[in-house]
Amino acid sequence: MRSEPIVSAPLGRSTSLNEMRALAAVIRREWTIFIRYPSWIISLLIWPIIFPMGYILTARALSGVDGSGLTQFQINTGLTEYVGYMAVGTMIWMWQNVVLWNVGGALRNEQMRGTLESNWLSPTWRFAYLLGASVPQLISMLVMLLVSGLEYAFLFGVKFQGSLPLTLLVILVSIPAVYGLGFAFASLVITMKEANAFVFLVRGIVMVFCGVTYPLAIQPQWMQNVAAWLPQTYIIHAVRSAALSTEGFQGIAHDLQMLVLFGAFWLALGMAVFAWMERRARQTGAIGQY
Amino acid sequence: MSDIAIQAHKLVKQFPARADSGNDKKSEGEATSAKKRSFWPFGKRAPKSMFTAVNGVDLEIRRGEIFGLLGPNGAGKSTTIRMLCTLLEPTSGTAKVNGFDVVTQANQVRRNLGTVLAGERSIYWKLSGRENLQYFAALYHIPPTVAKKRVEELIERMEIKDRANELVEKYSTGMRQRIAIAKALLARPPILLLDEPTLGLDPQAARNLRELIAQLKQEGHTILLTTHYMEEADQLSDRIGIIDTGKVIALDTPEGLKRRIDQKEVIRLELTGWHDDLNDKLKSITGIESLTSHQKGEADLWEVNLQAQNSRHALPRIVESLSGNGTRLVNMNIVKPSLEDVFIHLTGKALRD
Ligand SMILES: Nc1ncnc2c1ncn2[C@@H]1O[C@H](COP(=O)(O)OP(=O)(O)OP(=O)(O)O)[C@@H](O)[C@H]1O
Ligand SMILES: [Mg+2]
C-alpha cells in the first residue's frame, strides 16, 4: 500500500452549491438502488390495473351490466364515466398509500440496513436525506399515474374528456400535502418504531372519508365535515373534475386553493416532526438502533 | 493549534431504561406490557429510570497518537465514540474534537472526523465500491473534481481497483471494511474514530488492517480506536484507556500499564476435572489476589490463571488444593503479566467471557 502526505485541512467545504450536490447525490443513490430491484416494473404496470379492478367490478354489478342503474350515479356526481371515476379515486388513494410506505419507510429502511448512521456522520443538511429519497419515489409515482391513465384509456376505453395539463396541475399542487404526510411518518418511525401501525389507520381514514369510490354527497353530514379537513378529498375531487369533466379550471379552482393551504400545512408539519426526531434521536441514540 | 486532538471532560451519557428498547434481557412481564401499549405510541410510558452507559469519562488524546479504548462488552466504548462523532448528545460534560465543541459546533466536528462504526453495515450493498465512495464524497462536500481524484486514489490504496465496479454485496467482509475505512478517509480528516475495526475479520485481513492503521498514524492522523482484543490494543496504541461500566479505570502506555503489576506474578494452570468448589478453595489461599478460569478447546481441559503476590509461597498450597476429587494438574507455568492480566487485576473479571 502506498503512503500519502501528512494530513492538513479536510477537503470538504460547505457552500450552498456543495449542499445542492449532496442532495443530488442522495437522489442519484436512491435512483440507482431503486432500478436495481427489478420488482419496480411490476408495481408500475400491474398494480394500476389490479388494484382498482375490485371496485370497478362492484360498481358494474350495482349499476347493471347495461348501465341502467347509472342515472343515480350521474345525479350524484355529474359524471357517467364510472370506471374512470373509480380508477381516479383508487389511484390517488394508492399514491398516498405508497408514499406512506415508501417515503414513510425511507429512513427506517436505512436505519435497519445500518447506513442511516453513516449518512448522519457527514456534515450534510439532514433533511436532504429524506427529500432526496422522495424524489425518485415521486418520479416513479408520476409514471405510475400516467401509466394507469393510459391503461384505462386504451384497455378499458375510459373517455378522459377533461384536460391533461389541468390534471397535471392538480397533481403538482397535491405533492406538498401528500409528501408532507410521508415526511412526518418517516420521522416518527425512526424514534417510535410502532408508529408503523398508524399507516393502516391513515389509509383507512382516507378510504372511508375522502370519497375514494363514492361521491361525498351520499355521506352523512358529520362525515362530510371530517372529509373537508382531509387534503385527499380535494385531490380526488379535483383530479376527477380535471380529467373526466369538461368544466375546465372553474371545476378545480376551489380545490387548488385548499390544496395550497393543506400543502403548506403538511409540509411544515413534516419538517417540524423531522426536526423534532433529529433532536430526540441525538438524545436516545435511535438513529443507530434497529 | 493546540496539540490536543480530542478532549473529553466529565462526559456522561444516560439512556432511558425502557422495557421495549435495547437488546438487554428483560422479564416476560415487562415485554408483554410493552406489547399491549404498542398501538398507541404517543402515550406516557411507565416512569423512566435512567441507565448510565458512560459515567464521567475524561480523555485527552494528543495529536498524532493512536489511542486505544479497551473494555469488555457494554463498557461504553461505542457510546463514547458516538458522542464524539455527534451522533449522541452527552447528558452532561463536554467534548471537543480538533478544538470544536461536539454539541455547539457539530458540523465542524463532522468535517474534521472520519468515523467507522459498524463497519460493513455502514455502506450500501446495492451500490458498487466506487459508487459508495463517490456518494459519500458528495456528502462530505468535496468538490467534484477533487472528489474524483480522491476516490480513485483510495480505490488504489485499498487494493480494490479491479473490483471497484462490483456491487458491495459481492465483496468479502475484509473488502467491505476497507471501503468503510476509505469512506472515512475521503475528506482527509485529521482525526479518525474506529469502533472495533477488526471485528469479524479473518486473522490475515485483521493483520492487514492493523498495518494500515499504523500507516495512517505515520501520515499524521490522530486515531481513537476501540477494541476488546488485548493484543490489538497493545500492538497499535501509544496509550490505552481501560474502560469498564462507563468509567475509565486506568490510562497509560501499554508498558506503563503492565509495569503496574510487574511485582505480581501470574500462575497459569492447565488441569482436567475442574469444578466450581475449587474456585473458593484457591482464592482463599493467602497471596492469591484473583482467579479466572475458562475451558480450553478440548473437552474437560481448563486453563486457570491466578495472580499472586509471591508464587513460591502459594505454590505448595495450590498443588495441595488440587489433589483428589478427580482433578488432575496437567501443566503449570509462572508467566509475565500481559495486558489481559492488568485488566483482570483492575476489574476482577476477564475481558472476554
Ligand atoms: N441507544 C441506546 N439506548 C439504550 N441503551 C443503550 C443505547 N446504546 C447503548 N446502550 C447501552 O449502553 C451500554 C454501553 O453500550 P456500548 O455500546 O457503548 O458498549 P461497548 O463498550 O461499545 O460494548 P461492545 O463491546 O458490546 O460494543 C450497554 O449496556 C448498552 O446496552
Ligand atoms: Mg461497541
Side-chain angles (χ1 to χ4, degrees):
Chain A
M1 293 187 200
R2 199 168 45 82
S3 284
E4 293 194 2
I6 304 290
V7 282
S8 48
L11 294 176
R13 215 158 266 293
S14 279
T15 60
S16 31
L17 182 61
N18 285 339
E19 282 288 0
M20 294 301 291
R21 286 185 177 127
L23 176 63
V26 177
I27 297 172
R28 200 174 322 119
R29 176 212 79 202
E30 194 66 18
W31 182 256
T32 311
I33 294 175
F34 173 66
I35 57 176
R36 278 179 191 163
Y37 286 98
S39 65
W40 65 275
I41 301 194
I42 315 255
S43 41
L44 283 192
L45 300 179
I46 310 295
W47 271 113
I49 299 195
I50 291 184
F51 182 69
M53 221 46 211
Y55 298 98
I56 292 169
L57 292 174
T58 309
R60 194 169 153 87
L62 293 176
S63 65
V65 180
D66 58 351
S68 56
L70 276 177
T71 352
Q72 198 57 41
F73 174 79
Q74 196 174 358
I75 294 171
N76 280 326
T77 64
L79 295 167
T80 48
E81 184 53 81
Y82 75 90
V83 176
Y85 185 92
M86 295 290 162
V88 168
T90 45
M91 287 309 295
I92 298 297
W93 180 85
M94 193 156 122
W95 182 26
Q96 182 70 73
N97 184 32
V98 174
V99 166
L100 286 178
W101 279 121
N102 288 8
V103 174
L107 297 179
R108 176 85 185 113
N109 284 338
E110 293 227 23
Q111 184 185 35
M112 290 191 290
R113 264 188 257 145
T115 45
L116 190 58
E117 264 194 334
S118 48
N119 284 328
W120 240 239
L121 286 170
S122 81
T124 285
W125 180 49
R126 277 151 179 200
F127 194 66
Y129 302 121
L130 189 49
L131 201 59
S134 308
V135 172
Q137 202 279 341
L138 173 63
I139 293 169
S140 76
M141 281 296 105
L142 293 180
V143 171
M144 185 183 82
L145 293 176
L146 193 72
V147 167
S148 72
L150 292 175
E151 284 175 348
Y152 282 97
F154 293 108
L155 298 180
F156 294 86
V158 170
K159 289 185 204 64
F160 291 104
Q161 299 180 42
S163 124
L164 182 62
L166 283 186
T167 311
L168 288 177
L169 177 68
V170 175
I171 288 175
L172 213 65
V173 175
S174 312
I175 289 171
V178 172
Y179 284 81
L181 184 60
F183 293 161
F185 256 95
S187 315
L188 275 185
V189 291
I190 289 297
T191 49
M192 311 180 205
K193 278 119 200 156
E194 315 93 324
N196 249 333
F198 279 79
V199 171
F200 296 106
L201 190 64
V202 171
R203 65 184 201 180
I205 288 173
V206 172
M207 194 57 153
V208 172
F209 285 93
C210 299
V212 170
T213 53
Y214 45 75
L216 292 187
I218 68 161
Q219 291 178 341
Q221 189 56 44
W222 72 269
M223 282 182 76
Q224 295 189 34
N225 293 343
V226 174
W229 285 95
L230 300 170
Q232 292 79 7
T233 306
Y234 302 92
I235 303 174
I236 292 171
H237 181 263
V239 173
R240 278 177 186 148
S241 174
L244 299 171
S245 86
T246 51
E247 281 178 80
F249 191 76
Q250 284 308 323
I252 57 171
H254 174 68
D255 293 325
L256 288 185
Q257 210 178 330
M258 294 305 288
L259 284 173
V260 168
L261 290 177
F262 274 116
F265 171 77
W266 278 105
L267 203 55
L269 188 78
M271 292 181 77
V273 176
F274 183 86
W276 169 83
M277 175 279 287
E278 202 206 322
R279 242 191 29 250
R280 198 179 139 74
R282 228 179 308 142
Q283 273 139 29
T284 62
I287 291 294
Q289 290 172 326
Y290 34 87
Chain B
M1 229 178 355
S2 117
D3 57 336
I4 301 297
I6 300 177
Q7 185 174 37
H9 183 61
K10 291 198 165 64
L11 215 49
V12 172
K13 184 65 200 177
Q14 297 185 320
F15 293 113
R18 270 196 340 231
D20 62 340
S21 79
N23 36 15
D24 290 345
K25 293 165 220 108
K26 50 199 162 199
S27 77
E28 293 276 326
E30 275 174 317
T32 22
S33 70
K35 205 166 199 167
K36 257 183 224 151
R37 283 194 303 266
S38 71
F39 189 70
W40 187 248
F42 304 104
K44 276 260 181 293
R45 288 201 163 82
K48 282 172 190 168
S49 54
M50 297 303 267
F51 166 78
T52 306
V54 171
N55 194 1
V57 162
D58 287 304
L59 287 175
E60 271 195 357
I61 298 174
R62 297 175 198 136
R63 219 165 270 287
E65 79 173 333
I66 298 185
F67 189 97
L69 205 51
L70 184 66
N73 291 116
K77 304 182 294 291
S78 301
T79 306
T80 304
I81 295 252
R82 281 196 165 81
M83 285 192 276
L84 294 176
C85 69
T86 76
L87 285 177
L88 280 175
E89 206 162 279
T91 307
S92 65
T94 55
K96 282 188 170 165
V97 173
N98 216 15
F100 299 111
D101 186 279
V102 295
V103 177
T104 58
Q105 297 170 296
N107 261 340
Q108 279 100 317
V109 170
R110 288 173 200 141
R111 222 183 305 285
N112 281 279
L113 275 182
T115 307
V116 179
L117 297 172
E120 55 170 353
R121 278 171 41 82
S122 68
I123 52 175
Y124 291 89
W125 289 29
K126 279 282 170 192
L127 297 181
S128 70
R130 182 175 271 117
E131 284 167 340
N132 264 291
L133 294 182
Q134 286 164 343
Y135 169 65
F136 284 107
L139 292 194
Y140 280 88
H141 295 149
I142 306 173
T145 45
V146 182
K148 214 169 160 187
K149 254 182 61 196
R150 183 72 182 142
V151 166
E152 295 313 312
E153 229 169 76
L154 285 165
I155 284 176
E156 193 126 332
R157 170 161 200 185
M158 296 296 159
E159 294 168 347
I160 40 172
K161 197 169 172 83
D162 39 340
R163 299 191 56 191
N165 288 332
E166 273 176 50
L167 296 193
V168 165
E169 64 186 3
K170 301 208 177 99
Y171 288 4
S172 67
T173 307
M175 289 174 74
R176 290 189 198 123
Q177 189 69 344
R178 295 210 294 279
I179 295 285
I181 291 178
K183 159 187 163 287
L185 294 175
L186 276 168
R188 244 194 254 281
I191 301 167
L192 302 175
L193 306 180
L194 311 176
D195 194 13
E196 312 242 8
T198 58
L199 190 72
L201 296 188
D202 62 67
Q204 180 61 40
R207 193 153 46 240
N208 290 344
L209 187 53
R210 283 196 288 270
E211 246 164 59
L212 172 65
I213 293 171
Q215 263 178 35
L216 290 170
K217 171 193 147 92
Q218 291 308 315
E219 288 158 26
H221 290 282
T222 306
I223 300 169
L224 169 59
L225 66 90
T226 75
T227 179
H228 54 250
Y229 300 120
M230 279 295 171
E231 310 77 36
E232 186 165 296
D234 196 355
Q235 186 194 331
L236 280 175
S237 315
D238 297 303
R239 289 191 305 150
I240 291 176
I242 293 184
I243 183 169
D244 187 35
T245 59
K247 284 200 173 93
V248 175
I249 52 176
L251 198 161
D252 207 337
T253 59
E255 296 68 38
L257 286 173
K258 279 184 255 179
R259 217 176 298 127
R260 291 188 183 196
I261 58 167
D262 239 6
Q263 303 86 337
K264 308 226 167 65
E265 288 162 315
V266 176
I267 305 167
R268 177 162 302 159
L269 310 170
E270 281 178 19
L271 43 80
T272 58
W274 171 257
H275 47 92
D276 286 340
D277 302 348
L278 286 174
N279 217 327
D280 293 336
K281 220 166 162 186
L282 288 172
K283 269 193 199 157
S284 67
I285 296 171
T286 31
I288 301 293
E289 294 188 336
S290 67
L291 177 154
T292 58
S293 63
H294 66 265
Q295 197 158 9
K296 298 199 73 165
E298 306 134 66
D300 202 36
L301 184 64
W302 288 74
E303 182 181 301
V304 178
N305 287 299
L306 302 165
Q307 285 180 5
Q309 275 299 353
N310 184 336
S311 59
R312 258 157 248 292
H313 237 89
L315 273 178
R317 301 278 315 273
I318 293 171
V319 175
E320 194 180 312
S321 338
L322 292 176
S323 63
N325 258 339
T327 309
R328 210 162 63 84
L329 190 58
V330 178
N331 196 356
M332 180 163 75
N333 277 310
I334 295 173
V335 293
K336 220 171 116 58
S338 69
L339 262 187
E340 177 99 35
D341 299 306
V342 177
F343 188 83
I344 293 166
H345 174 68
L346 288 168
T347 65
K349 62 189 175 197
L351 194 52
R352 276 167 286 179
D353 34 59

